[in-house]
């Protein structure tokens, strides 16, 4: 891999020479490396081998990212004190001018400028960071609200379409490819018994009460870079930026950033949605979006963490029964462990639904 990485690095118009590379981050989808350059005054880079099983059309995916990053940088340049190179991803083009590189073996690669001195978190431990996370997501949505031109490509069709996800979950149960249906009866029941109530946002959208906007769609906490003072710096992982509902972004941020334990925690007694972290997120998020959200969007903000946690539990369980074909796993039962952790998290949200509602009502 070492010499291959050098060759791939050299296929891009980067600004320094390759010194070393190391795997980076804890994402479940791509293979990400940090490339350190030999020269002290040159940027380092992020080199990613893209998962083209998950993202089927890389040119469309990359066109979205080009448009989104250029638009954000353009807007940041007009804001006094903003630093576009640290507050937005910067793509580095391949030597043929494209924003990706296709290798002889059909693998796809892309490169970003490495944003130095950042911090990332898988678990949030203070309301200050939660506030910053919420604010970053609200600001990101606001920056993209006036993206000109045609709609963005749907890089993964029906990504947060809960109705379609339920349909494909039912198919997965029927096919039982891995033979794991019997051992997951309890988890399956948790999913199917909540199916009707989880359709509400989609139903309201169908009635025109919740608008389609440009959203990030993968706002998990480790997709936000923080600076040395734990101020939110930059939103990354822009692969799923496309038309969607605000609820997906707020809900997924709470799912990952207000959980006291890891997304895949084995000891279920450690898992709990922390209401103070929820409050921090909500305050930060609404400080940026309060004037944009309509009344129905506001009303269902407190429901959205449950929807996104439910969806995630179903997605992990689907993948477990399909035989682990989507998410990178680190051991045999990882997707089941993730499912159980998400179902437990969902239960702790259901217990605190009234408290979440009260906080949102106070803030709007
Ligand atoms: P995945 O889709 O697999 O989650 P990401 O795009 O989120 O991939 O990248 C994985 C990790 O790489 C991030 O969590 C972050 O630590 C790091 N990373 C990605 N882009 C940058 C960047 N431009 N600067 C610094 N670190 C980055
Ligand atoms: C994946 O790429 P990453 O690890 O940030 C997934 C998200 C899930 C998340 C669960 C394209 O996100 O949708 O919510 O794992 N991304 C894709 O941890 O499916
Ligand atoms: Mg990521």
């Amino acid at each position: 891999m070492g010499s291959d990485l050098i060759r791939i690095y050299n296929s891009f118009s980067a600004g320094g020479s390759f010194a070393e590379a190391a795997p980076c981050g804890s994402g479940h989808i791509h293979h990400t490396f940090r490339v350190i350059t030999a020269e002290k005054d040159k940027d380092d880079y992020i080199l990613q081998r893209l998962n083209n099983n998950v993202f089927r059309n890389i040119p469309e995916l990359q066109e979205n990212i080009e448009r989104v990053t250029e638009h954000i940088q353009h807007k940041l340049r007009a804001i006094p004190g903003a630093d576009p190179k640290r507050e937005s991803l910067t793509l580095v083009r391949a030597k043929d001018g494209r924003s990706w590189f296709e290798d002889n073996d059909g693998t796809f690669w892309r490169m970003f400028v490495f944003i130095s001195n950042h911090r990332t978190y898988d678990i949030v431990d203070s309301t200050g960071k939660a506030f910053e996370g919420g604010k970053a997501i609200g600001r990101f949505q606001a920056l993209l609200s006036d993206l000109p031109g045609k709609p963005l490509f749907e890089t993964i069709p029906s990504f947060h379409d809960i109705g379609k996800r339920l349909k494909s979950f039912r198919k997965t149960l029927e096919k039982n490819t891995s033979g794991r249906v019997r051992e997951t009866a309890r988890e399956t029941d948790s999913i199917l018994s909540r199916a009707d109530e989880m359709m509400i946002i989609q139903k309201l959208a169908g009635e025109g009460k919740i608008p389609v906007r440009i959203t990030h769609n993968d706002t998990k906490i480790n997709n936000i870079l923080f600076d040395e003072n734990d101020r939110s710096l930059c939103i990354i992982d822009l692969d799923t930026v496309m038309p969607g509902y605000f609820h997906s972004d707020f809900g997924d941020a709470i799912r990952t950033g207000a959980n006291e334990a890891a997304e895949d925690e084995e000891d279920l007694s450690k898992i709990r949605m922390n209401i103070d972290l929820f409050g921090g997120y909500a305050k930060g998020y609404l400080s940026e979006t309060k004037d944009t959200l309509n009344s129905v969007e506001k009303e269902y903000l407190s429901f959205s963490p449950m929807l996104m946690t439910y969806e995630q539990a179903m997605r992990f369980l689907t993948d477990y029964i399909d035989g682990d074909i989507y998410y990178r796993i680190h051991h045999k039962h990882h997707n089941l462990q993730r499912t159980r952790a998400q179902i437990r998290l969902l239960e702790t949200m259901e217990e605190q639904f009234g408290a979440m509602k009260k906080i949102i009502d106070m803030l709007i």
Side-chain angles (χ1 to χ4, degrees):
M1 186 52 119
S3 63
D4 254 18
L5 276 181
I6 299 177
R7 184 177 53 78
I8 289 154
Y9 174 83
N10 286 329
S11 309
F12 286 87
S13 303
S17 40
F18 185 105
E20 54 183 291
C24 181
S26 50
H28 298 336
I29 304 295
H30 303 304
H31 280 94
T32 305
F33 302 88
R34 176 183 177 176
V35 175
I36 299 177
T37 50
E39 300 83 357
K40 282 247 152 4
D41 59 336
K42 298 286 187 201
D43 286 320
D44 289 341
Y45 295 95
I46 284 285
L47 194 53
Q48 276 184 321
R49 193 178 95 204
L50 301 177
N51 182 330
N52 60 332
N53 176 40
V54 166
F55 295 100
R56 295 307 180 111
N57 191 327
I58 301 293
E60 285 187 1
L61 167 74
Q62 286 302 104
E63 186 182 319
N64 275 5
I65 296 187
E66 286 169 35
R67 287 179 63 200
V68 165
T69 52
E70 278 161 22
H71 182 71
I72 292 178
Q73 294 209 342
H74 173 74
K75 288 187 81 171
L76 288 175
R77 278 196 288 275
I79 301 175
D83 184 350
K85 213 172 152 192
R86 286 177 64 67
E87 292 172 35
S88 161
L89 286 177
T90 306
L91 273 169
V92 178
R93 291 195 178 252
K95 285 187 172 150
D96 63 6
R98 293 188 172 139
S99 66
W100 75 92
F101 169 71
E102 186 178 355
D103 207 356
N104 303 326
D105 60 358
T107 55
F108 289 87
W109 295 79
R110 76 174 163 213
M111 189 185 271
F112 293 109
V113 172
F114 183 83
I115 298 170
S116 56
N117 300 322
H118 76 262
R119 301 173 173 176
T120 54
Y121 299 98
D122 287 323
I123 297 180
V124 171
D125 60 2
S126 74
T127 50
K129 281 182 205 135
F131 177 88
E132 283 294 318
K135 198 172 144 190
I137 291 159
R139 188 171 143 98
F140 182 84
Q141 293 175 337
L143 283 169
L144 286 178
S145 61
D146 57 353
L147 181 79
K150 61 184 182 184
L152 292 167
F153 290 113
E154 244 192 303
T155 53
I156 300 180
S158 311
F159 192 50
H160 289 310
D161 181 328
I162 201 72
K164 286 212 175 134
R165 291 222 176 254
L166 268 159
K167 220 167 149 188
S168 75
F169 177 58
R170 289 194 164 100
K171 260 200 204 130
T172 284
L173 292 174
E174 263 170 42
K175 279 202 266 167
N176 194 11
T177 309
S178 63
R180 286 167 160 172
V181 162
R182 243 173 63 152
E183 65 172 291
T184 54
R186 236 167 8 129
E187 291 74 20
T188 296
D189 187 51
S190 294
I191 299 299
L192 294 181
S193 64
R194 290 173 172 86
D196 287 345
E197 62 182 286
M198 293 296 165
M199 292 300 298
I200 183 69
I201 288 187
Q202 205 161 320
K203 184 168 163 281
L204 290 166
E207 292 165 4
K209 293 179 181 149
I210 292 181
V212 172
R213 302 181 185 269
I214 297 180
T215 47
H216 183 284
N217 295 307
D218 187 5
T219 47
K220 84 175 172 187
I221 185 65
N222 64 20
N223 286 330
I224 301 175
L225 305 186
F226 289 79
D227 72 10
E228 309 90 316
N229 303 313
D230 283 330
R231 291 281 172 90
S232 55
L233 182 61
C234 179
I235 304 244
I236 62 164
D237 208 339
L238 306 179
D239 300 316
T240 50
V241 178
M242 57 184 161
Y245 307 126
F246 271 7
H247 292 104
S248 307
D249 287 357
F250 182 74
D252 208 46
I254 301 300
R255 177 185 77 78
T256 55
N259 182 1
E260 288 177 359
E263 183 182 57
D264 61 349
E265 175 57 55
E266 198 173 2
D267 179 351
L268 298 186
S269 71
K270 289 188 181 155
I271 296 171
R272 192 167 70 106
M273 189 205 68
N274 181 305
I275 195 72
D276 295 330
L277 294 177
F278 173 87
Y281 261 106
K283 207 168 162 191
Y285 181 70
L286 285 166
S287 73
E288 295 283 334
T289 56
K290 196 173 159 177
D291 298 335
T292 310
L293 292 163
N294 75 25
S295 59
V296 183
E297 285 177 305
K298 284 178 183 159
E299 188 185 339
Y300 283 88
L301 268 190
S302 40
F303 174 74
S304 65
M306 299 194 292
L307 172 60
M308 296 312 288
T309 306
Y310 173 81
E311 182 188 306
Q312 195 61 65
M314 177 164 56
R315 290 177 62 193
F316 284 145
L317 185 55
T318 303
D319 197 31
Y320 185 67
I321 299 172
D322 282 343
D324 306 313
I325 54 176
Y326 189 92
Y327 296 104
R328 178 157 50 244
I329 53 168
H330 301 293
H331 54 85
K332 197 171 158 212
H333 297 294
H334 205 168
N335 273 320
L336 180 59
Q337 186 177 315
R338 288 167 171 159
T339 306
R340 289 182 174 150
Q342 294 298 299
I343 291 172
R344 178 66 200 131
L345 178 62
L346 172 60
E347 290 165 354
T348 75
M349 287 172 171
E350 289 168 342
E351 288 155 20
Q352 298 179 86
F353 180 51
M356 287 196 275
K357 233 178 154 28
K358 237 189 199 156
I359 290 174
I360 298 284
D361 286 346
M362 241 164 47
L363 290 170
I364 55 180

